[in-house]
Amino acid sequence: MLIRRPNDIPSSEITPESVYLNRRTFMGSVAAGAAAALIPGSLAGCESAEGRAIEGGAEQDKLTPFEDVTSYNNFYEFGTDKSDPKRNAGRLRTRPWSVAVEGHVAKPAVYDLEDFVAPHSLEDRTYRLRCVEAWSMVIPWRGFELRRLVERVQPTSAAKYIEFITLHDPEQMPGQRRPIIPWPYNEGLRLDEAMNSLSLLATGLYGQDLPNQNGAPLRLVVPWKYGFKSIKSIVKIRFVERQPATTWMKSAPHEYGFYANVNPEVDHPRWTQKNERRIGELRRRDTLMFNGYAEQVASLYAGMDLRKNY
């Protein structure tokens, strides 16, 4: 299996947003994408109107159009329909913004966003992101490796997990006025998962700051896990000793486990995870183990029963 490392794709090879906003170019790229969907992956070209593809298995992955990335979202803080976040997120104020780092670390602090990001060189990485609802996107993110933050705050030997918490402000986030899920939204990783070089704290996509509906101003991206693991609009990061009870574990523990690794052999109780629909494509494609990143992350779960630890 050939899996191209995401950081092999320089930002210069990613088409600027302005190209996508040009209707003629956009319509042409849609037609090209539809035609490419009919060609076996081994024959499809790497270059397209969407930019150079990343590779996973035998298929070529083309970038999801900017308009789809920013208008088809799960972000329950702004509503449960896919179109709600774009419609309702404009009221979110992302400046000023602070991020608290606390728990079992030598250097706890409350950072202004600029101070939080400043010590880290931002880089562009193109990652697949798959939703547990069996749709997926390919997105050029901008951010820095989570492990850089971990090294900076110096966790103690007691820290085994990292918990992330989203802003809770029903005035700005109207979805939080309803008890859809326990607020505020929280997620977690094992410390070794956080230290993997693929784990990204993202501040942008397509070469610009994150739009509000995509998790501005700071979100997590963990590309080998289902999308709900990539928590948005982070205000607190806690280093803890015990595995945190995350939002979807609390809401539906029979459907959502702590690990949330993409595994086509473990179905969701209400639908299959064996295949998926890439947004912008008509056909369905086979789901790849660990979302196509097995080469980089499978060793983290050596010896674990991935049906039990779903």
Side-chain angles (χ1 to χ4, degrees):
M1 178 186 297
L2 173 62
I3 303 175
R4 187 176 181 185
R5 291 187 61 84
N7 57 358
D8 286 346
I9 305 173
S11 59
S12 61
E13 295 180 352
I14 295 174
T15 302
E17 174 198 348
S18 59
V19 174
Y20 272 92
L21 299 183
N22 180 287
R23 177 176 172 80
R24 181 173 299 176
T25 303
F26 173 71
M27 293 305 292
S29 69
V30 169
L38 303 176
I39 303 173
S42 60
L43 301 179
C46 287
E47 298 291 344
S48 72
E50 289 96 351
R52 175 165 290 184
I54 59 174
E55 297 176 359
E59 296 188 273
Q60 302 291 344
D61 287 331
K62 297 176 182 176
L63 298 184
T64 303
F66 178 86
E67 180 60 29
D68 290 335
V69 170
T70 57
S71 63
Y72 192 86
N73 308 105
N74 281 335
F75 199 170
Y76 281 11
E77 282 80 352
F78 297 106
T80 55
D81 289 340
K82 298 294 186 290
S83 59
D84 283 346
K86 183 175 183 178
R87 181 167 53 247
N88 297 328
R91 69 188 72 187
L92 177 65
R93 300 183 297 274
T94 60
R95 300 293 191 278
W97 192 274
S98 60
V99 181
V101 178
E102 56 188 43
H104 296 294
V105 292
K107 297 181 177 181
V110 177
Y111 297 90
D112 291 334
L113 180 66
E114 288 70 21
D115 295 333
F116 183 84
V117 174
H120 309 285
S121 297
L122 299 182
E123 56 181 294
D124 293 317
R125 294 199 177 178
T126 299
Y127 285 164
R128 288 177 292 269
L129 194 64
R130 189 191 189 281
C131 181
V132 74
E133 297 164 304
W135 53 269
S136 60
M137 296 183 175
V138 180
I139 302 172
W141 302 99
R142 173 163 291 174
F144 61 92
E145 292 181 12
L146 174 56
R147 66 176 176 175
R148 304 302 181 200
L149 172 69
V150 175
E151 292 165 352
R152 178 180 172 191
V153 301
Q154 299 176 17
T156 71
S157 59
K160 308 296 186 208
Y161 298 87
I162 306 181
E163 181 179 18
F164 304 85
I165 300 173
T166 293
L167 175 69
H168 185 218
D169 187 340
E171 179 182 347
Q172 298 187 72
M173 295 175 151
Q176 291 178 337
R177 299 170 193 167
R178 298 169 55 202
I180 306 165
I181 53 178
W183 306 114
Y185 195 97
N186 74 303
E187 256 305 338
L189 294 174
R190 259 180 9 203
L191 191 59
D192 60 343
E193 294 176 317
M195 292 296 288
N196 185 278
S197 62
L198 293 180
S199 297
L200 195 72
L201 284 172
T203 61
L205 54 78
Y206 266 98
Q208 67 175 48
D209 289 345
L210 282 170
N212 287 5
Q213 63 267 29
N214 291 93
L218 184 74
R219 65 170 289 166
L220 181 67
V221 180
V222 191
W224 70 93
K225 295 179 179 288
Y226 290 110
F228 67 85
K229 205 73 177 174
S230 296
I231 184 171
K232 304 176 180 77
S233 300
I234 297 169
V235 294
K236 188 175 292 186
I237 300 174
R238 305 168 69 179
F239 289 74
V240 297
E241 186 172 3
R242 298 181 182 276
Q243 178 179 295
T246 61
T247 291
W248 284 108
M249 290 174 64
K250 290 180 283 189
S251 299
H254 61 294
E255 296 186 8
Y256 302 100
F258 176 80
Y259 284 96
N261 290 322
V262 174
N263 185 350
E265 300 304 317
V266 178
D267 285 339
H268 186 280
R270 290 180 279 132
W271 52 75
T272 181
Q273 296 292 350
K274 290 181 172 60
N275 53 60
E276 63 194 68
R277 183 178 68 86
R278 181 67 46 78
I279 298 301
E281 294 182 353
L282 299 178
R283 67 187 177 99
R284 299 188 72 84
R285 59 172 68 204
D286 291 340
T287 296
L288 301 175
M289 186 66 186
F290 295 114
N291 206 23
Y293 298 95
E295 187 174 289
Q296 293 98 324
V297 304
S299 62
L300 294 171
Y301 311 102
M304 290 181 63
D305 182 347
L306 298 183
R307 290 184 175 272
K308 179 179 179 181
N309 296 287
Y310 56 91

